[in-house]
Amino acid sequence: MTTLTPAAAAERTGVSLDTLRYYEREGLIGPVRRSAGGHREYTEDDVFWIGLVTCFREAGLGIADLRQFVAVLRAEHTPQERVAFLRERRGALEERVAALRKAIRVLDEKIAYYG
């Protein structure tokens, strides 16, 4: 199995080393493997989870939502429960997108007015 050092995992995922450690502390990724010397070794599965968590963070989900998301996906939940959770979050993101589109329209109007 191929593993990555923390620096390589950070570079590959585009997050900082501090962020990797934070995600691990919060239980959003991992548990991360350790070498015989105690150094973190990131697997492809870890890289996938880091990417998923980062995507959702960038979309505006908070740490509490992410903890719940990880718990739902990792725990013994039915597929229907997982889908319901994901649909709820998707709905919230759609609402945010609509609010952002409205704000962009208002800004465009002001730009046109003052421009």
Side-chain angles (χ1 to χ4, degrees), residues 5-11 13 15-25 29 32 40 42 46 50:
T5 65
E11 182 176 332
T13 60
V15 300
S16 70
L17 290 171
D18 287 337
T19 299
L20 287 179
R21 286 189 290 272
Y22 177 71
Y23 285 173
E24 186 178 359
R25 267 193 322 273
I29 63 170
V32 175
R40 287 178 176 85
Y42 292 88
D46 295 323
I50 294 163

Side-chain angles (χ1 to χ4, degrees), residues 37-91:
H39 299 285
R40 287 178 176 85
E41 297 178 325
Y42 292 88
T43 64
E44 289 300 319
D45 191 47
D46 295 323
V47 169
F48 169 80
W49 276 98
I50 294 163
L52 196 59
V53 168
T54 300
C55 174
F56 288 147
R57 284 291 292 150
E58 290 173 352
L61 270 70
I63 295 300
D65 280 333
L66 288 170
R67 278 192 209 110
Q68 188 177 2
F69 171 74
V70 169
V72 165
L73 291 183
R74 288 185 176 166
E76 295 296 322
H77 288 276
T78 66
Q80 295 81 7
E81 290 172 316
R82 291 175 177 164
V83 167
F85 176 84
L86 295 170
R87 283 191 174 140
E88 182 180 318
R89 294 312 177 275
R90 187 183 190 288

